[in-house]
């Protein structure tokens, strides 16, 4: 059988395919609100998932994410899409328990083997997460899209949201930035193969361990960094928590090759869209390097966790991330300060 290349089916894959955050925010602001005292997290705070309290011991976390191919290999695409969908449960401090496959695939346009391999890849990550695939839904559509709807659980008093960052907290990012750069660079045949492979590994890496470590250290606020880039998702934390954030670019880890790609002008369109979303309430330091500024808007697919934790606990949390052996590049990238004129200051 001829090797299937899913990237040939799309222009924008992965989380770069998300609707612009500016348009999404406008549409959501007009949606009728669901109100119920058991609803612990709703759309209002643009958080990673909805959360519903069943009783004093258990709340349900409910989320979905799906997108077009972000890589060539169907099995790997399935793994990445599933890792990305599961990530929202981890960002809320929860444990995924069940998943449904969401699949759009046209058997007229692609060999059905690709369909099976995407599902196998998804199943592989759902199993690694310790959750169960319990069904799904498929419609005929091209280019293909795949993702999950995931249900997780959390003890209500251990719930982590994007609305609980507090002045004095330190900000920790668990994975390096630059995934969007490497995907675009690979498509343009500008990225080194080894650098691109590194990006694939980061996308496949579950945020499970990072989430366990942040829960162990009592973090109260977090989100996962995906299509809106570091600044877009940081802004959601700042707004929902009514605080401001100072982010230091020199403390951020970037994937090898990402800076060089941006320097060569290989910047995904979604990075400009993300900049547009944050620029009105972000202050950029006068000496900030242009490529670093844009990399902070780089669209991530299955990116890391952005954690807000009291500063006195931050170093222990960071040590545990490094000791895990899978988050060597995690770092403290900034701090939470009282709300000021700008939601974010990027230096
Ligand atoms: N079609 C929609 N209808 C209702 N709410 C939506 C819709 N699309 C997005 N949202 C809500 O908008 C907010 C932001 O969504 P978004 O998909 O960016 O976040 P997310 O679920 O954390 O995904 P990711 O982790 O990939 O960024 C969330 O509260 C989400 O539930
Ligand atoms: Mg999220």
């Amino acid at each position: 059988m001829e090797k299937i290349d899913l990237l040939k089916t799309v222009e924008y894959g992965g989380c770069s395919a998300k609707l612009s955050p500016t348009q999404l925010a406008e549409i959501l602001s007009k949606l009728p609100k669901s109100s119920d005292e058991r609803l612990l997290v709703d759309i209002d705070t643009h958080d990673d998932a909805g959360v519903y309290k069943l009783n004093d011991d258990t709340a349900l976390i409910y989320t979905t994410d799906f997108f077009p191919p972000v890589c060539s290999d169907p099995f790997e695409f399935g793994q990445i899409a599933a890792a990305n969908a599961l990530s929202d449960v981890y960002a809320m401090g929860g444990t995924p328990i069940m998943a449904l496959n969401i699949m759009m695939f046209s058997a007229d346009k692609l060999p059905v083997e690709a369909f099976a391999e995407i599902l196998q890849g998804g199943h592989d990550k759902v199993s690694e997460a310790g959750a169960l695939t319990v069904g799904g839904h498929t419609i005929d559509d091209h280019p293909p899209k795949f993702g999950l709807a995931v249900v997780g659980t959390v003890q209500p008093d251990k719930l982590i949201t994007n609305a609980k960052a507090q002045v004095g907290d330190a900000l920790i990012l668990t994975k390096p930035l630059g995934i969007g750069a490497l995907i675009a660079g690979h498509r343009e045949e500008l990225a080194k193969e080894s650098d691109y492979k590194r990006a694939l590994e980061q996308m496949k890496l579950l945020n499970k361990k990072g989430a366990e470590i942040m829960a162990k250290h009592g973090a109260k606020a977090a989100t996962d960094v995906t299509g809106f880039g570091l600044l877009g998702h940081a802004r959601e934390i700042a707004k929902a928590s009514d605080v401001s954030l100072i982010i230091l670019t020199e403390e951020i880890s970037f994937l090898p090759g990402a800076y060089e790609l941006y320097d060569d002008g290989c910047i995904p369109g979604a990075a400009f869209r993300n900049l547009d979303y944050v620029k009105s309430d972000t202050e950029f330091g006068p000496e900030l390097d242009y490529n670093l500024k844009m990399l902070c808007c780089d669209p991530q697919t299955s990116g890391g966790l952005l954690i807000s934790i009291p500063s006195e606990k931050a170093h222990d949390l960071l040590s545990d991330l490094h000791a895990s052996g899978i988050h060597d590049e995690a770092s403290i990238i900034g701090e939470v300060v009282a709300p000021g004129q700008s939601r974010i200051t990027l230096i």
Side-chain angles (χ1 to χ4, degrees), residues 37-302:
E37 62 180 24
R38 288 162 295 188
L39 203 51
L40 303 183
V41 179
D42 61 13
I43 298 176
D44 263 1
T45 47
H46 291 203
D47 213 326
D48 298 300
V51 184
Y52 183 93
K53 184 173 170 178
L54 289 178
N55 52 48
D56 288 345
D57 299 322
T58 311
L60 282 184
I61 300 173
Y62 193 27
T63 176
T64 182
D65 262 349
F66 56 90
F67 48 58
V70 67
C71 61
S72 301
D73 181 68
F75 185 83
E76 256 179 341
F77 170 46
Q79 288 179 305
I80 292 169
N84 180 72
L86 289 157
S87 175
D88 282 324
V89 174
Y90 292 130
M92 313 272 328
T95 305
I97 55 171
M98 282 194 297
L100 294 171
N101 291 319
I102 295 173
M103 178 64 112
M104 288 152 228
F105 190 92
S106 172
D108 292 338
K109 300 271 176 30
L110 287 170
V112 283
E113 288 81 2
F115 182 170
E117 283 178 36
I118 294 169
L119 291 184
Q120 289 288 348
H123 185 261
D124 176 72
K125 281 292 153 186
V126 172
S127 303
E128 188 184 330
L132 302 169
T133 305
V134 295
H137 188 70
T138 309
I139 61 163
D140 191 318
D141 190 28
H142 189 77
K145 284 125 206 136
F146 176 64
L148 307 174
V150 188
V151 174
T153 56
V154 65
Q155 231 174 278
D157 58 355
K158 302 258 167 69
L159 176 65
I160 293 174
T161 75
N162 67 0
K164 295 186 197 161
Q166 289 192 325
V167 175
D169 281 3
L171 295 169
I172 294 181
L173 182 64
T174 63
K175 289 189 193 179
L177 295 181
I179 284 168
L182 269 302
I183 295 170
H186 174 72
R187 293 180 74 110
E188 303 287 324
E189 298 183 358
L190 294 169
K192 266 201 238 159
E193 192 57 23
S194 56
D195 293 345
Y196 176 62
K197 287 234 165 76
R198 188 89 180 269
L200 285 176
E201 292 313 314
Q202 286 297 322
M203 287 190 277
K204 286 190 267 184
L205 181 64
L206 287 178
N207 279 326
K208 181 173 194 245
K209 193 75 199 167
E212 279 168 17
I213 295 170
M214 77 168 167
K216 175 185 155 192
H217 290 276
K220 296 269 185 293
T223 191
D224 59 341
V225 177
T226 66
F228 303 157
L230 173 66
L231 293 188
H233 292 282
R235 181 180 183 270
E236 305 287 18
I237 289 193
K239 272 194 79 175
S241 303
D242 193 20
V243 292
S244 287
L245 310 180
I246 298 175
I247 297 179
L248 309 169
T249 48
E250 65 180 13
E251 303 299 333
I252 300 173
S253 302
F254 297 98
L255 284 167
Y259 186 93
E260 290 74 12
L261 285 165
Y262 266 47
D263 202 34
D264 287 346
C266 182
I267 305 180
F272 293 100
R273 182 195 73 187
N274 292 339
L275 176 65
D276 214 45
Y277 176 55
V278 299
K279 69 181 182 207
S280 63
D281 46 17
T282 300
E283 188 184 330
F284 297 102
E287 282 165 32
L288 183 62
D289 177 281
Y290 175 75
N291 295 320
L292 291 179
K293 167 177 156 181
M294 292 310 294
L295 275 165
C296 289
C297 300
D298 186 60
Q300 308 303 285
T301 295
S302 190

